[in-house]
């Protein structure tokens, strides 16, 4: 039998992982938006109130190409703080408007061109959380863990991964936030007390956002976990094969290579969801973009680490599940009751060093 | 094809996970030692040079019982620095002597009663790495993440987990070390340069040690990972069911409960091995100790996260595999090339807070 302290009234929420099949170089923004609308229609029909889209959802995964500055602009959405946020972008606004009409909150990834006061710009690989309930952006994230290289790999036949060239590392950290009015009966501010254990997880849902490669970094999940995160949203574009540090494909059959990539994806998302007692909604852009294969693996993961539901295709597909946020209670009050069990006095190397310092040779 | 930078001469090592079946309250130390010798014989016959035993290997898992101070002493090994280390304990010395005769290094967990200068003692849940090659203890670890409670749970029918009562939290941190002469052709000190990337992983193997519940804490793995760890050794005693914070068994069938516990074990060991590019040797004390069921799940995990080999029984069993430490190279130079990709400037909450601080209620 469950102990009374672990019992909590259900806080039910229907969520949709909106997987996108390939977006080719020649595909127009309008075509992609139309596909996203169709996914939202499907999500709405199944009662979803939160829809998660992939990383860089509106275009092909352009960091696989070496593109010069002039052509690069078309992949970005301009965000000029003097004119409002990303919700003002003509490319993105229709998605938010449509979501608003359906009453569905949105996580979506996009390439952000952030206009600075002096007219210059800084580019980020970003995601945004638009609350349809509140009709405003309530969360913003800029990818911290950019993979790849700044300079194109020069080895013959090397694959390119130029995120470090096109984007600056995110400067917003890992900031959890609450999604207003997403579940019924959430505690409100007036009911707040100083006792975080008593109120933990019983207000509006606590959301975290990551992008693609971030999901392999337990530090990122833990910073969110330390804010009581209940739902991690994470979109990705992940090649269906691994490469060496020179950018060569690892010598495996296509099937074995894809299986390995999926194992790593699952270990990262399931393992870190478990170790932080949170749901995660992990959403792929998948299939072959102009011949470049991306893995699928879109899935909704439970705070106890198992997969609740996963995609069956490598094309546009909606994976819907009704989750109970009260299920975060057991891990967060037992094995992962951080305040009882963590020992930060032994964790200092995590901050003190970036790379490896090995024990001396004998 | 593999890029040349990822190619490294093989550094082969045969390792043995020495799983123990139940040790009952009535079982004598001599009986347990005899079983451990048999496991070592088996490991030697298969060519192993490293054998990993479980946590608290020499006795039953006594923290499940409320035991008064006088009776508690029998479970501990006394370590008096004025008389030498654990290798002098009459209970433990025979194991090291036998390992020495077979040329097998040992990781083994034990309850340490550490004698202080004033004659008092401090108790730890410890493990030790005995190098048969060097005939000395080259690594020592005291469990940092103690589960359970200090005071016995009072709810009717509650299960006890009294590690926090019987042991002090480890004070040695997570200190990786090298195991001398375990592989052929390892770089030696005279060849050392300041370039850690060039020498990484090419000296004597870099070992980390954890104990049981520690394996669920990515911080612990990461601190070792930041020291270039190539092999994690981890023994455990894990109940085959989960409990609520009051100590009641979670309401699942025995089969479903065990399946859940094994999933968490695997996500922890496979996920953290993958995210740190290291092998791990995870070794259970398993089966029912006086009716109290412990899970199995002894397994050797690859730095790419897959299980190389796992136990088939819940009894004394040796799981042997020949591993190639050069397999750590690909993850450590690509996705998990820490010096290129980690962003510690965003990780500070990991050290700054122990428990959760939630975003304010709306």
């Amino acid at each position: 039998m469950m102990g009374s302290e672990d019992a909590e009234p259900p806080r039910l929420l229907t969520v949709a992982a909106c997987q996108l099949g390939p977006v080719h170089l020649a595909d127009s923004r309008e075509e992609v938006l139309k596909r996203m609308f169709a996914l939202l229609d499907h999500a709405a029909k199944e009662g979803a109130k939160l829809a998660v889209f992939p990383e860089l959802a509106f275009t092909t995964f352009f960091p696989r190409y070496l593109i010069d500055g002039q052509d690069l602009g078309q992949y970005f959405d301009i965000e000029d703080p003097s004119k409002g946020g990303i919700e003002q972008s003509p490319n993105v606004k229709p998605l938010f408007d449509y979501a608003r009409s359906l009453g569905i909150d949105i996580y979506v990834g996009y390439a952000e061109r952030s206009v600075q006061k002096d007219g210059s710009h800084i580019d980020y690989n970003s995601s945004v959380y638009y609350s349809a309930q509140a009709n405003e952006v309530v969360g913003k994230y800029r990818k911290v863990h950019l993979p790849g290289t700044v300079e194109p790999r020069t080895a013959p036949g090397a694959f390119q991964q130029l995120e470090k060239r096109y984007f600056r590392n995110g400067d917003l950290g890992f900031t959890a936030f609450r999604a207003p009015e997403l579940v019924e009966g959430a505690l409100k501010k007036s009911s707040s007390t100083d006792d975080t254990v008593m109120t933990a997880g019983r207000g509006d849902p606590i959301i975290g956002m990551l992008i693609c490669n971030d999901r392999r970094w337990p530090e990122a999940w833990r910073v969110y976990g330390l804010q009581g995160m209940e739902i991690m949203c994470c979109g990705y574009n992940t090649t269906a094969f691994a490469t060496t540090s020179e950018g060569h494909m690892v010598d495996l059959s296509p099937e074995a290579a894809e299986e390995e990539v999926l194992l790593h994806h699952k270990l990262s998302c399931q393992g870190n969801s478990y170790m932080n007692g949170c749901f995660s909604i992990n959403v792929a852009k998948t299939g072959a973009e102009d011949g470049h294969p991306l893995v699928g693996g879109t899935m909704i993961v439970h705070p106890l680490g198992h997969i609740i539901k996963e995609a069956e295709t490598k094309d546009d597909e909606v994976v819907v599940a009704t989750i109970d946020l009260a299920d975060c209670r057991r891990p967060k009050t037992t094995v992962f009751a951080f305040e009882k069990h963590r020992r930060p006095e032994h964790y200092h190397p995590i901050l003190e060093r970036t790379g490896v310092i090995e024990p001396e040779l004998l």
Side-chain angles (χ1 to χ4, degrees), chain A:
Chain A
M1 106 194 70
M2 291 285 284
S4 58
E5 81 285 18
D6 299 310
E8 175 181 312
R11 289 190 302 145
L12 298 176
L13 174 63
T14 301
V15 300
C18 294
Q19 173 174 288
L20 282 168
V23 176
H24 305 296
L25 278 164
D27 293 344
S28 71
R29 291 256 186 172
E30 289 66 34
E31 289 171 298
V32 178
L33 263 182
K34 205 181 287 178
R35 289 163 58 187
M36 295 170 91
F37 283 16
L39 294 171
L40 278 181
D41 283 336
H42 182 142
K45 213 175 343 184
E46 299 210 32
K49 288 189 73 182
L50 166 58
V52 177
F53 287 99
E55 173 193 35
L56 300 174
F58 301 99
T59 68
T60 198
F61 184 74
F62 63 89
R64 73 168 68 89
Y65 305 110
L66 180 60
I67 304 167
D68 80 16
Q70 217 144 11
D71 285 343
L72 200 59
Q74 64 185 300
Y75 300 102
F76 282 83
D77 284 294
I78 293 171
E79 203 163 330
D80 184 344
S82 71
K83 297 179 189 148
I86 187 65
E87 66 274 18
Q88 301 305 327
S89 161
N91 289 322
V92 176
K93 190 174 186 307
L95 183 69
F96 292 177
D97 288 345
Y98 197 64
R100 166 88 172 155
S101 76
L102 298 171
I104 301 182
D105 285 13
I106 298 274
Y107 160 110
V108 66
Y110 65 104
E112 173 187 359
R113 175 149 288 182
S114 175
V115 177
Q116 307 297 296
K117 278 186 188 160
D118 65 1
S120 68
H121 58 79
I122 301 177
D123 294 343
Y124 299 99
N125 187 342
S126 297
S127 66
V128 65
Y129 188 101
Y130 167 75
S131 165
Q133 327 302 323
N135 190 23
E136 62 178 344
V137 165
V138 297
K140 170 87 181 277
Y141 174 69
R142 290 168 170 164
K143 188 172 181 177
V144 165
H145 298 98
L146 297 173
T149 56
V150 175
E151 296 306 322
R153 293 161 176 150
T154 55
F159 286 90
Q160 302 300 342
Q161 214 302 8
L162 292 163
E163 286 192 56
K164 277 187 160 64
R165 183 182 189 84
Y166 298 141
F167 303 116
R168 183 147 333 157
N169 291 94
D171 59 348
L172 301 176
F174 307 105
T175 308
F177 56 90
R178 291 190 187 265
E181 306 303 330
L182 207 50
V183 299
E184 283 177 28
L187 277 185
K188 294 296 166 185
K189 200 164 197 174
S190 55
S191 327
S192 172
T193 72
D194 287 339
D195 187 340
T196 57
V197 173
M198 284 303 296
T199 65
R202 295 166 196 209
D204 287 304
I206 302 174
I207 313 284
M209 295 198 282
L210 292 176
I211 300 177
C212 196
N213 180 46
D214 284 318
R215 72 197 188 284
R216 308 182 197 279
W217 296 88
E219 294 93 335
W221 291 75
R222 184 61 102 225
V223 174
Y224 282 120
L226 286 165
Q227 298 167 77
M229 168 197 44
E230 298 171 299
I231 306 174
M232 179 70 90
C233 302
C234 182
Y236 57 93
N237 288 259
T238 298
T239 57
F241 53 86
T243 52
T244 68
S245 57
E246 285 181 340
H248 289 124
M249 198 183 289
V250 170
D251 188 17
L252 292 170
S253 71
E255 295 73 24
E258 182 160 2
E259 192 184 330
E260 182 186 279
V261 172
L262 278 172
L263 173 68
H264 295 168
H265 163 63
K266 290 186 173 185
L267 289 176
S268 300
C269 297
Q270 294 182 253
N272 285 305
S273 294
Y274 163 63
M275 293 188 290
N276 291 281
C278 66
F279 290 92
S280 64
I281 307 171
N282 309 282
V283 184
K285 183 136 64 65
T286 180
E289 292 191 332
D290 296 301
H292 298 277
L294 298 169
V295 289
T298 292
M299 60 182 183
I300 300 168
V301 176
H302 190 273
L304 292 171
H306 57 269
I307 297 171
I308 298 170
K309 207 165 172 191
E310 59 190 318
E312 292 170 2
T313 73
K314 287 197 221 171
D315 216 323
D316 290 9
E317 180 180 349
V318 182
V319 177
V320 178
T322 298
I323 63 177
D324 182 354
L325 298 180
D327 288 354
C328 298
R329 182 82 4 225
R330 173 148 69 98
K332 285 186 194 293
T333 58
T334 58
V335 178
F336 298 113
F338 291 157
E339 74 285 2
K340 291 182 192 155
H341 303 309
R342 290 182 78 244
R343 306 299 299 185
E345 67 272 28
H346 296 302
Y347 304 157
H348 49 92
I350 291 171
L351 262 70
E352 287 171 359
R353 58 181 76 169
T354 300
V356 167
I357 302 174
E358 297 187 334
E360 275 196 23
L361 292 175
L362 300 177

